[in-house]
Amino acid sequence: MADEPLILGIETSCDETGVGIVRGHTLLADALASSVEEHARFGGVVPEVASRAHLEAIVPTMDRALKEAGVTLADIDAIAVTSGPGLAGALLVGVAAAKGYALAAEKPVYGVNHLAAHVAVDTLEHGPLPEPAIALLVSGGHSSLLRVDDLATGVTPLGATIDDAAGEAFDKVARLLGLPFPGGPYIDREARAGDPVSIAFPRGLTAAKDLAAHRYDFSFSGLKTAVARWVEGRQRAGETVPVADVAASFQEAVCDVLVTKALAACRADGIDTLVIGGGVAANSRLRAMAEERAGRHGIRVRVPRPKLCTDNGAMVAALGSHLVAAGVAPSRLDLPADSALPLTTVSV
């Protein structure tokens, strides 16, 4: 609708410089500049390199988004920016840019939570989010299970990773198998030719004693170690490592745990909507397994298209749009970049 506010979102929490523009639940622009290739030779994101890349990319990415949407900065009603969590230096670039643009154009600014934005972006794909809903957020830095009663005011954490996040485990296992960084897409690709039940890798925190203390928490460190030992054992024996089978079996273990715990949370609270977000949500096996198992229990799974699962400005704009529509007051212009912003804080 033309009378809905026009919201611009800026995302710089890690290695993606994103600027998105939305009107209500309609995406008008999603401009992105990635520095992933600059980090690939290090096998992971280097904070200083990411910060420098954001500095170089923020203005041209902003210009590209405005052009794509066919609007000017003066047309924007509010600016939303990821205030945390994320890499401190990277966040500072986005927050500083948002403040500068807000001051120049005399627009309100909203500092928002990166993880809550991964939930909000689904509204651009599937419309308003049913509340309550359960959200499973899986990325390189986070594996979190949340209850969302009102996205504008806060979410309730149910569980989180106690060591390696799912995406981090994908990266480390990919390195073990000689696959490029970031590991998620390459493992997904290799796994399609492999047998997911060929190797019995462990499912972390699923034993009865673990569930008593960590019902909805995740642990992938032990799985990563199990894969490493299995691969090393084959190599010591002079045998070829079946990369496709290892990738498929590892991926199956990760997805099994994520889906099992997410659906358990839905059933325990009588909630019939599961939203999956974050970079790992682009994984084809996770999406298929969630749909298949959820259907047995009458639970609807909402997953954005893969491009909206990874970090982007559209998700920040979507959350900003939700906050504006809910009448949430904008942030102060001295809003901080908080690398450890808690999940319970949706806007700063």
Side-chain angles (χ1 to χ4, degrees):
M1 298 266 311
D3 57 349
E4 290 180 306
L6 190 64
I7 310 299
L8 183 146
I10 298 174
E11 157 62 28
T12 64
S13 66
C14 191
D15 60 344
E16 311 281 4
T17 307
V19 178
I21 299 174
V22 306
R23 190 184 292 281
H25 300 307
T26 302
L27 178 61
L28 303 180
D30 182 21
L32 195 68
S34 176
S35 61
V36 65
E37 291 184 4
E38 298 176 49
H39 304 283
R41 63 193 179 100
F42 301 106
V45 176
V46 180
E48 293 82 359
V49 173
S51 300
R52 174 59 61 182
H54 288 309
L55 280 171
E56 295 173 351
I58 189 66
V59 172
T61 307
M62 173 68 73
D63 293 344
R64 190 151 41 94
L66 292 169
K67 182 177 180 181
E68 182 181 335
V71 300
T72 67
L73 192 60
D75 298 322
I76 300 296
D77 293 301
I79 296 173
V81 60
T82 297
S83 185
L87 302 174
L91 289 168
L92 281 168
V93 176
V95 170
K99 291 178 181 179
Y101 283 112
L103 275 170
E106 298 183 327
K107 306 295 182 181
V109 63
Y110 288 79
V112 306
N113 190 300
H114 174 83
L115 299 178
H118 271 303
V119 179
V121 75
D122 184 73
T123 63
L124 303 179
E125 192 90 63
H126 301 112
L129 182 69
E131 295 173 340
I134 296 295
L136 172 65
L137 301 183
V138 278
S139 66
H142 305 277
S143 296
S144 304
L145 199 54
L146 321 169
R147 178 184 168 116
V148 184
D149 288 293
D150 183 352
L151 188 55
T153 58
V155 298
T156 303
L158 300 177
T161 185
I162 63 173
D163 43 54
D164 288 355
E168 185 180 2
F170 269 91
D171 288 339
K172 291 178 177 178
V173 168
R175 191 155 58 241
L176 280 169
L177 297 176
L179 300 175
F181 172 87
Y186 295 97
I187 285 184
D188 193 356
R189 195 174 306 159
E190 288 287 339
R192 292 169 193 169
D195 180 356
V197 298
S198 60
I199 308 167
F201 287 133
R203 271 67 167 160
L205 297 183
T206 57
K209 62 180 178 62
D210 294 321
L211 289 173
H214 298 284
R215 186 180 185 187
Y216 298 131
D217 291 326
F218 304 101
S219 170
F220 297 108
S221 180
L223 170 59
K224 173 202 67 183
T225 302
V227 174
R229 288 177 176 167
W230 194 94
V231 170
E232 289 164 2
R234 295 281 294 214
Q235 291 172 334
R236 280 197 304 269
E239 300 174 359
T240 301
V241 175
V243 173
D245 286 344
V246 174
S249 298
F250 161 77
Q251 178 175 268
E252 193 74 5
V254 173
C255 294
D256 186 15
V257 172
L258 291 172
V259 172
T260 297
K261 295 206 172 198
L263 293 181
C266 289
R267 297 177 67 193
D269 287 2
I271 294 174
D272 63 4
T273 301
L274 170 64
V275 179
I276 306 178
V280 180
N283 180 271
S284 63
R285 181 56 183 148
L286 177 61
R287 298 164 82 96
M289 184 186 290
E291 289 277 2
E292 176 190 346
R293 294 188 184 178
R296 302 173 193 165
H297 304 289
I299 296 170
R300 182 188 178 195
V301 177
R302 295 177 35 147
V303 192
R305 59 185 179 271
K307 186 180 178 184
L308 293 180
C309 290
T310 52
D311 294 348
N312 58 79
M315 71 185 202
V316 179
L319 180 53
S321 180
H322 188 84
L323 295 173
V324 170
V328 174
S331 305
R332 291 162 49 103
L333 269 177
D334 62 353
L335 74 102
D338 185 352
S339 62
L341 187 66
L343 264 171
T344 48
T345 302
V346 172
S347 60
V348 180

